[in-house]
């Protein structure tokens, strides 16, 4: 909890609180991972709405005026703009903040540990294969869970069109036969 900062101008305090909440959310999303953002379901939307409501008071404190809300929103927009520019220029920060793509299948071999760690079900993997026009995982040259949460597949067949699969949040790893 950020203590009240009576020395600061009230709007400066709102700005600092908003920036603190912004970075808290960046860290929280990094901890919970890319797969949580690939496709929002009803529960995810409710969570986002509840989080926004819960941090609103942390940003503006007791001042619920329009001007205080606009200062908080402006601070968030400016922080986001600066954050994106820093990510573009700093590989170190990008490595710390962003997940890396994960290999799911390479040359027809499923990486079961990775698939299990990412909570990708066999049904979901098979659906991604079908969406890419691939009948069997042994025909896959490379399948990746991208940093945005999508599954991309490159097949051994150069004629097939390469597409992207929007990952849905699943809970268990089913049976995948070799």
């Amino acid at each position: 909890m950020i203590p009240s900062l009576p020395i600061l101008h009230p709007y400066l305090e709102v700005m600092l609180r908003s920036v603190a909440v912004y970075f808290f959310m960046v860290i929280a999303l990094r901890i919970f991972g890319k797969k949580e953002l690939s496709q929002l379901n009803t529960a995810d939307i409710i969570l986002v709405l509840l989080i926004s409501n819960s941090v609103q008071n942390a940003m503006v404190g007791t001042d619920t005026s329009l001007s205080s809300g606009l200062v908080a929103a402006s601070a968030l927009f400016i922080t986001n703009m600066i954050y994106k520019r820093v990510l573009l220029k700093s590989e170190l920060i990008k490595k710390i903040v962003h997940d890396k793509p994960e290999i799911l299948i390479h040359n027809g071999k499923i990486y079961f540990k990775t698939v299990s760690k990412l909570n990708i079900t066999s049904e979901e993997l098979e659906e991604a294969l079908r969406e890419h026009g691939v009948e069997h995982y042994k025909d896959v040259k490379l399948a990746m869970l991208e940093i945005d949460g999508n599954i991309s597949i490159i097949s051994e067949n150069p004629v097939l069109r390469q597409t992207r699969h929007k990952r849905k949040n699943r809970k268990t790893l089913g049976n995948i036969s070799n």
Side-chain angles (χ1 to χ4, degrees):
M1 184 171 168
I2 297 177
S4 182
L5 306 170
I7 303 168
L8 300 176
H9 188 280
Y11 291 145
L12 182 58
E13 182 177 349
V14 168
M15 290 173 63
L16 290 174
R17 288 170 171 263
S18 299
V19 169
V21 168
Y22 179 90
F23 284 111
F24 168 79
M25 295 303 297
V26 167
I27 292 166
L29 289 173
R30 172 66 174 101
I31 291 169
F32 289 106
K34 64 187 168 223
K35 65 185 184 316
E36 300 301 325
L37 294 177
S38 65
Q39 215 172 46
L40 295 177
N41 60 32
T42 305
D44 296 328
I45 293 170
I46 291 170
L47 176 65
V48 169
L49 292 173
L50 290 175
I51 287 172
S52 66
N53 190 46
S54 68
V55 299
Q56 183 261 337
N57 287 339
M59 289 191 295
V60 296
T62 58
D63 183 359
T64 58
S65 67
L66 175 63
S67 56
S68 183
L70 294 176
V71 168
S74 298
L76 292 173
F77 279 116
I78 292 167
T79 303
N80 190 56
M81 181 184 67
I82 293 169
Y83 173 72
K84 286 183 177 183
R85 286 188 180 169
V86 168
L87 282 179
L88 285 173
K89 294 181 188 250
S90 173
E91 286 299 318
L92 176 65
I93 301 293
K94 191 183 291 186
K95 284 181 184 179
I96 292 170
V97 175
H98 283 187
D99 283 335
K100 62 180 177 37
E102 299 276 356
I103 297 174
L104 306 175
I105 303 173
H106 186 257
N107 292 329
K109 180 180 182 271
I110 297 174
Y111 286 45
F112 287 101
K113 285 183 181 178
T114 304
V115 171
S116 178
K117 176 183 83 172
L118 297 170
N119 295 320
I120 297 174
T121 66
S122 61
E123 293 83 13
E124 184 174 19
L125 197 53
E126 290 166 1
E127 178 184 350
L129 292 173
R130 288 189 302 273
E131 287 183 357
H132 290 79
V134 178
E135 289 185 50
H136 199 266
Y137 68 89
K138 290 188 182 205
D139 299 327
V140 174
K141 186 175 181 179
L142 183 65
M144 304 276 298
L145 179 64
E146 302 293 350
I147 61 172
D148 63 359
N150 292 313
I151 296 174
S152 60
I153 295 178
I154 301 171
S155 71
E156 292 290 345
N157 184 347
V159 176
L160 291 175
R161 191 179 107 213
Q162 307 305 320
T163 58
R164 294 172 64 94
H165 170 73
K166 279 287 198 186
R167 186 181 186 296
K168 295 177 185 170
N169 197 7
R170 303 278 202 243
K171 293 184 182 172
T172 60
L173 176 65
N175 296 329
I176 301 176
S177 59
N178 287 326

